[in-house]
């Protein structure tokens, strides 16, 4: 395990072992009357809020205060179950009280956000009570109060991985236990930048709900494999029947992906600075990080498989075995879910999935013949690594290119594999006045659906749309075997 986890585990137990033994798990807390009261009061409070999180109508302030009179005691009653979050839950009381006293204007929860440090407590099974006014990515765009009970996913082999070559001190892996309506959606992240606050601090953590990612993966891939008649390898098929295994696979994928955004030969900062770029640049950045996770998993599998099994530690064996599964997860999630999820309006994740599928097809490891999908599993890793190499080469060259030239080179790389829209202005060549003008002109010239779905994906989308829609709000506790009818 990482040094930090060892130290915290000792500190958490020494001096009060009987308290640790008697303390309920976060799953048990989900049935506690105080949590049920808190959840109901938060949901009632949300009905009074507007988009910016405020309660602007003075006529509603008394009702809002009544809801807070339930929320605050409930948080206090639950706080002893989460001693590692004591500073946060105490600051939360102060932020709510100040918000009430100042008339329920635009909320500011910076103090409690700064006190919440889940990355310091990455212990498998450890729970958190999280309450903030916030937007939920791919969920609510309004800054409403949310209350969430979560459980940390941090198995021994992930701690081993993170303490070595894949250090990522900001990464937190979570599992849903219970939540308010903002998370009864497609949102699978808990990011500090979504919280209502008066100023932007230095962010110290970012959390992903791996149980939601794993559950929707299992449901979507199960249906897609049936529709396309794809025969899965035994270990890939086993993931579809094992939620906890798939969660661990997604933790490994995401911990490598997340750290990759700021590593490599990059065009300064390709993604994290808020800037307006053609959406295919975001496609390449997200795909680059996924393919980095893929290629690193190939390297880990090959390196550890070359060693005698009895020379490997238990954690190394798990890293080796999960590394193989990460490769399946990256490919199947990208080509079966990403490519056809969401609208066709600047869908950068969708484009990345289309690009990976077409690259595999055009390089002879993916075949759609006699209405059956087949994949050359042995040749697949090196073909996908070649796509990763091409993106990395594009990035390496970018630091010597002007922005416009880099954008044009990135477009040309994508169009070598995917066919642009017949009406594309980029495909025929941007006019001189656009090329000589500011970056805005380049971006404005990109069509919302610059690279439309292929005929294969048009047909697959019709069969998969109901399945994908059914994954909204899914968690690790959901029944992923209940697949909607996809035969039509």
């Amino acid at each position: 395990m990482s040094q930090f986890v060892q130290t915290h585990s000792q500190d958490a137990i020494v001096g009060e072992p009987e308290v640790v033994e008697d303390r309920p798990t976060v799953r048990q807390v989900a049935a506690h009357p105080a949590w049920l009261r808190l959840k109901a009061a938060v949901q009632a409070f949300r009905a009074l809020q507007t988009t910016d999180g405020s309660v602007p109508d003075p006529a509603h302030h008394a009702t809002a205060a009544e809801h807070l009179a339930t929320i605050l005691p409930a948080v206090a009653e639950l706080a002893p179950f989460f001693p590692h979050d004591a500073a946060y839950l105490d600051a939360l009381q102060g932020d709510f009280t100040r918000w009430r006293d100042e008339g329920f204007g635009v909320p500011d929860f910076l103090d409690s956000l700064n006190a919440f440090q889940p990355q310091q407590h990455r212990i498998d099974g450890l729970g958190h009570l999280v309450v903030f006014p916030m937007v939920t990515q791919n969920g609510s765009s309004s800054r409403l109060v949310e209350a969430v009970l979560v459980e940390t996913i941090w198995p021994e082999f992930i701690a081993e991985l993170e303490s070595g070559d894949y250090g990522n001190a900001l990464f937190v892996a979570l599992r849903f236990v219970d939540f308010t309506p903002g998370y009864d959606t497609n949102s699978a992240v808990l990011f500090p930048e979504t919280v209502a606050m008066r100023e932007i601090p230095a962010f110290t953590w970012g959390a992903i709900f791996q149980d939601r990612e794993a559950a929707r993966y299992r449901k979507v891939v199960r249906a897609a494999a049936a529709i396309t008649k794809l025969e899965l390898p035994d270990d890939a098929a086993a993931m579809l029947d094992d939620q906890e295994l798939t969660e661990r696979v997604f933790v490994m994928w995401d911990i490598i992906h997340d750290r990759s955004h700021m590593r490599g030969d990059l065009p300064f900062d390709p993604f994290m600075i808020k800037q307006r770029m053609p959406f295919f640049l975001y496609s390449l950045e997200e795909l680059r990080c996924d393919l980095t996770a893929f290629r690193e998993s190939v390297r880990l599998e090959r390196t550890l498989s070359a060693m005698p099994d009895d020379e490997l530690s238990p954690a190394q064996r798990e890293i080796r075995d999960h590394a193989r599964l990460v490769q399946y997860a990256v490919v199947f999630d990208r080509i079966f879910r990403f490519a056809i999820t969401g609208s066709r309006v600047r869908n950068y994740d969708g484009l990345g999935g289309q690009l990976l599928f077409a690259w595999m097809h055009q390089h002879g490891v993916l075949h759609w013949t006699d209405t059956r999908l087949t994949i050359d599993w042995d040749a697949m890793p090196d073909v996908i690594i070649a796509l990763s190499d091409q993106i990395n080469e594009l990035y390496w060259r970018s630091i010597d290119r002007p922005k416009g030239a880099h954008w044009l080179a990135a477009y040309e790389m994508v169009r070598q594999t995917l066919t642009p829209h017949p009406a594309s202005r980029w495909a025929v060549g941007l006019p001189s006045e656009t090329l000589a003008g500011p970056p805005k002109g380049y971006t404005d010239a990109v069509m919302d659906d610059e690279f439309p779905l292929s005929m294969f994906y048009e047909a697959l989308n019709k069969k998969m749309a109901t399945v994908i829609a059914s994954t909204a709000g899914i968690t690790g506790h959901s029944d992923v075997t209940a697949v909607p009818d996809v035969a039509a």
Side-chain angles (χ1 to χ4, degrees):
M1 294 182 74
S2 69
Q3 182 62 43
F4 178 80
V5 173
Q6 291 174 348
T7 301
H8 180 80
S9 296
Q10 294 167 358
D11 292 346
I13 294 174
V14 170
E16 50 171 0
E18 73 286 349
V19 177
V20 175
E21 292 173 2
D22 294 341
R23 187 178 301 142
T25 67
V26 67
R27 299 189 195 193
Q28 292 170 325
V29 171
H32 195 284
W35 164 252
L36 300 178
R37 292 195 304 273
L38 170 61
K39 184 179 175 184
V42 165
Q43 291 182 221
F45 189 95
R46 290 161 55 89
L48 306 177
Q49 293 181 270
T50 56
T51 299
D52 64 5
S54 66
V55 181
D57 190 343
H60 293 156
H61 288 183
T63 302
E66 290 175 4
H67 293 320
L68 280 195
T70 299
I71 292 171
L72 297 183
V75 169
E77 188 174 347
L78 296 171
F81 303 141
F82 307 96
H84 46 284
D85 289 329
Y88 157 64
L89 295 173
D90 184 62
L92 187 66
Q93 297 273 347
D95 281 342
F96 267 119
T97 300
R98 185 182 66 256
W99 188 22
R100 179 199 62 200
D101 293 347
E102 293 178 355
F104 293 110
V106 176
D108 167 27
F109 278 59
L110 179 63
D111 293 346
S112 52
L113 177 62
N114 282 336
F116 185 53
Q117 300 292 331
Q119 83 285 358
Q120 295 179 3
H121 311 288
R122 295 187 295 189
I123 300 172
D124 200 42
L126 189 72
H128 297 280
L129 167 64
V130 184
V131 186
F132 283 118
M134 59 189 293
V135 299
T136 50
Q137 197 173 76
N138 299 318
S140 170
S141 59
S142 298
R143 204 162 262 111
L144 307 181
V145 177
E146 304 290 349
V148 194
L149 284 175
V150 302
E151 184 178 43
T152 305
I153 307 173
W154 202 252
E156 179 74 22
F157 85 93
I158 289 294
E160 177 84 12
L161 193 72
E162 197 275 336
S163 67
D165 294 338
Y166 302 96
N168 192 339
L170 279 64
F171 179 82
V172 182
L174 296 178
R175 179 184 295 118
F176 279 115
V177 177
D178 200 4
F179 47 82
T180 44
Y183 277 106
D184 193 17
T185 59
N186 288 310
S187 183
V189 299
L190 175 62
F191 289 162
E193 53 263 47
T194 64
V195 174
M197 52 192 154
R198 60 184 176 274
E199 62 187 46
I200 306 298
F203 297 128
T204 56
W205 59 272
I208 301 178
F209 290 100
Q210 261 76 30
D211 72 313
R212 174 159 292 173
E213 291 194 326
R216 63 190 179 192
Y217 170 87
R218 294 173 58 220
K219 189 164 192 174
V220 168
V221 173
R222 187 189 302 276
I227 290 168
T228 61
K229 306 182 184 71
L230 175 65
E231 186 173 345
L232 298 173
D234 290 344
D235 50 355
M239 291 175 63
L240 304 185
D241 296 321
D242 192 329
Q243 172 69 19
E244 291 189 2
L245 171 63
T246 310
E247 288 174 6
R248 296 193 299 269
V249 169
F250 271 81
V251 175
M252 183 170 176
W253 170 4
D254 282 332
I255 200 169
I256 302 174
H257 170 112
D258 187 67
R259 71 192 297 278
S260 300
H261 276 301
M262 298 304 297
R263 288 171 172 82
D265 296 308
L266 310 179
F268 196 70
D269 186 347
F271 191 74
M272 301 307 289
I273 291 176
K274 293 181 179 179
Q275 53 186 313
R276 188 165 183 256
M277 302 187 297
F279 76 91
F280 55 82
L281 271 298
Y282 295 101
S283 300
L284 291 177
E285 171 60 8
E286 284 297 318
L287 186 58
R288 180 185 73 88
C289 294
D290 277 345
L291 297 188
T292 298
F294 181 94
R295 71 186 299 150
E296 288 300 302
S297 295
V298 172
R299 185 183 70 81
L300 286 166
E301 182 200 4
R302 290 175 176 175
T303 299
L304 295 173
S305 295
M307 298 172 62
D309 195 70
D310 59 3
E311 293 184 9
L312 300 176
S313 68
Q316 287 176 316
R317 293 189 194 103
E318 287 205 74
I319 290 171
R320 176 199 61 197
D321 296 343
H322 284 79
R324 175 71 170 174
L325 301 179
V326 169
Q327 297 164 51
Y328 295 131
V330 171
V331 171
F332 294 149
D333 217 25
R334 275 280 173 185
I335 70 173
F336 286 145
R337 188 175 69 84
F338 281 43
I340 51 178
T341 296
S343 76
R344 298 303 303 167
V345 178
R346 298 180 293 280
N347 187 335
Y348 60 82
D349 272 337
L351 178 58
Q354 295 169 248
L355 180 60
L356 178 58
F357 180 94
W359 178 273
M360 292 172 63
H361 178 240
Q362 292 166 28
H363 288 77
V365 297
L366 181 150
H367 310 277
W368 177 248
T369 306
D370 300 332
T371 67
R372 177 181 292 273
L373 190 66
T374 57
I375 293 176
D376 183 343
W377 305 109
D378 291 335
M380 180 184 74
D382 289 329
V383 165
I384 293 178
I385 288 172
L387 175 57
S388 175
D389 287 341
Q390 187 177 89
I391 298 173
N392 289 339
E393 171 76 7
L394 172 77
Y395 274 45
W396 179 81
R397 290 183 176 275
S398 71
I399 66 170
D400 300 318
R401 288 170 168 159
K403 180 183 289 186
H406 172 57
W407 289 4
L408 292 167
Y411 185 86
E412 188 60 31
M413 197 205 88
V414 176
R415 74 174 296 191
Q416 288 174 5
T417 303
L418 293 177
T419 303
H421 194 288
S424 169
R425 287 180 281 173
W426 276 70
V428 299
L430 296 175
S432 297
E433 57 269 24
T434 299
L435 295 173
K440 182 179 185 298
Y442 288 70
T443 303
D444 289 346
V446 180
M447 299 184 72
D448 283 346
D449 194 9
E450 182 70 30
F451 295 93
L453 291 175
S454 65
M455 289 189 289
F456 172 86
Y457 272 127
E458 287 281 3
L460 183 64
N461 188 39
K462 290 178 181 178
K463 293 178 177 292
M464 288 291 297
T466 302
V467 177
I468 290 173
S470 73
T471 63
I474 197 170
T475 72
H477 307 297
S478 303
D479 180 9
V480 302
T481 63
V483 176
D485 183 13
V486 295

